[in-house]
Amino acid sequence: MLKDLFSLVTIVALLFSSCSKSEEEENGDAPQPTKQTAYFGVNLSGAEFGNVYPGVDGTHYGYPTEKDLDYFKAKGLYLVRFPFRWERIQPTMNGELNATELAKMKKFVKAAEDRNMQILLDMHNFGRYCVYCDGQSSQNNQYAIIGNARCTVDNFCDVWKKLAKEFKDYKNIWGYDIMNEPYEMLASTPWVNIAQACINAIRTVDTKTTIIVSGDEFSSARRWKECSDNLKTLTDPSNNLIFQAHIYFDSDSSGNYDKGYDEDGATIQTGVARLKPFVD
């Protein structure tokens, strides 16, 4: 049900630019993208993996490395979407951030900063928090949707206020991606209300960093009009929001790509058609 991030295509309503490796080789002094121009990048999965919480680093999950950064920088990719799990960075809701995990996150962000690479912090929780995990297997996991009494909107705002306090002074935080692909949220607490509360909370501690809001129902670009049109009512005191939509090109939009191109009925216009509702 939860799609593999490596198959994810993230679309933001901005122009994309990058520098190719060959261009760098031809001109070693070519200017590197700035925060305002580094819009073309890659998702580096690992810290959100496993579905076992907190899990064992190196067994259930892991963090991307400096070698990963060097590899993608050499490809001209200067923006990294860096997913992490709420349960690992804050094992108890409303509690303190986990010092060990926070140090790992900061180590990676600093390594990117040293390379003039931008980081998009991505809470990869799909609008949920794992309120029970036995620490060994994911089979018995119990999740609470944000807005449930076991995972309130205030809980969600709390973790982002604490994260913003920790990361707001880094020069290479491209934005706070407050929640990856929320879906089937509670009718009593729709995603738009949760996002607005989170925006307000973050702005009490950080008035500068861009906030990225994913669309509802897996951030679907194809279904943006029907599922996420209400996000246009969101307000930001700092006027610094970006909306994020995702598209998959296979027939069922699962991102699994189980069939071949012809069998799947794909055309060169598949992506264009699915992105159009979001662009419009």
Side-chain angles (χ1 to χ4, degrees), residues 1-279:
M1 178 170 60
L2 303 184
K3 305 182 184 78
D4 184 347
L5 184 63
F6 280 116
S7 67
L8 184 67
V9 178
T10 300
I11 308 296
V12 293
L14 291 169
L15 292 175
F16 289 77
S17 62
S18 69
C19 177
S20 70
K21 183 176 180 181
S22 60
E23 288 171 339
E24 289 180 347
E25 290 171 344
E26 291 174 3
N27 185 1
D29 296 325
Q32 296 180 346
T34 66
K35 186 173 183 178
Q36 287 70 39
T37 61
Y39 299 144
F40 190 62
V42 63
N43 295 282
L44 287 186
S45 291
E48 86 287 13
F49 268 14
N51 292 333
V52 176
Y53 311 113
V56 178
D57 189 353
T59 299
H60 301 109
Y61 70 106
Y63 284 81
T65 66
E66 293 185 13
K67 288 184 178 180
D68 294 324
L69 290 172
D70 290 337
Y71 175 83
F72 287 108
K73 181 178 180 179
K75 298 294 184 181
L77 304 178
Y78 285 82
L79 174 61
V80 175
R81 187 169 184 252
F82 175 35
F84 62 93
R85 285 293 299 202
W86 182 359
E87 297 86 352
R88 290 190 175 118
I89 193 61
Q90 191 184 47
T92 302
M93 283 183 286
N94 275 25
E96 296 302 313
L97 300 183
N98 182 292
T100 300
E101 299 302 314
L102 181 61
K104 294 173 185 177
M105 289 179 67
K106 286 186 171 182
K107 180 180 178 181
F108 181 72
V109 171
K110 182 61 169 63
E113 186 179 53
D114 291 342
R115 290 161 173 78
N116 193 36
M117 298 175 74
Q118 299 294 315
I119 295 294
L120 177 54
L121 295 177
D122 159 38
M123 181 174 283
H124 213 78
N125 274 73
F126 302 88
R128 288 143 172 76
Y129 186 95
C130 187
V131 293
Y132 173 76
C133 179
D134 63 18
Q136 301 297 321
S137 170
S138 62
Q139 293 183 347
N140 298 317
N141 284 1
Q142 297 177 19
Y143 293 90
I145 300 173
I146 300 173
N148 184 290
R150 302 175 74 185
C151 181
T152 68
V153 176
D154 286 342
N155 294 147
F156 181 53
C157 293
D158 173 79
V159 66
W160 267 112
K161 284 177 66 175
K162 288 171 178 171
L163 286 166
K165 286 179 181 178
E166 294 291 340
F167 287 98
K168 65 185 179 69
D169 293 327
Y170 283 88
K171 297 178 181 179
N172 67 324
I173 299 298
W174 195 84
Y176 301 136
D177 188 350
I178 58 175
M179 181 58 63
N180 177 70
E181 294 192 351
Y183 73 98
E184 295 181 2
M185 307 303 287
L186 301 175
S188 60
T189 318
W191 171 235
V192 63
N193 292 3
I194 298 168
Q196 184 64 69
C198 187
I199 291 166
N200 295 342
I202 289 173
R203 291 307 181 215
T204 65
V205 297
D206 182 350
T207 60
K208 296 181 180 180
T209 304
T210 302
I211 295 174
I212 289 84
V213 181
S214 283
D216 209 344
E217 293 305 318
F218 296 107
S219 308
S220 173
R222 189 181 191 180
R223 302 175 61 201
W224 192 273
K225 182 68 175 179
E226 62 188 274
C227 299
S228 302
D229 192 53
N230 58 358
L231 295 182
K232 67 187 178 186
T233 66
L234 292 174
T235 60
D236 175 14
S238 298
N239 193 29
N240 195 8
L241 294 180
I242 286 178
F243 296 97
Q244 181 179 171
H246 298 169
I247 57 173
Y248 302 84
F249 301 95
D250 45 354
S251 58
D252 60 0
S253 296
S254 69
N256 290 319
Y257 301 97
D258 294 325
K259 302 176 181 179
Y261 185 91
D262 293 332
E263 185 183 3
D264 221 20
T267 74
I268 60 172
Q269 292 298 316
T270 296
V272 174
R274 293 182 182 182
L275 183 58
K276 191 175 186 298
F278 173 63
V279 174

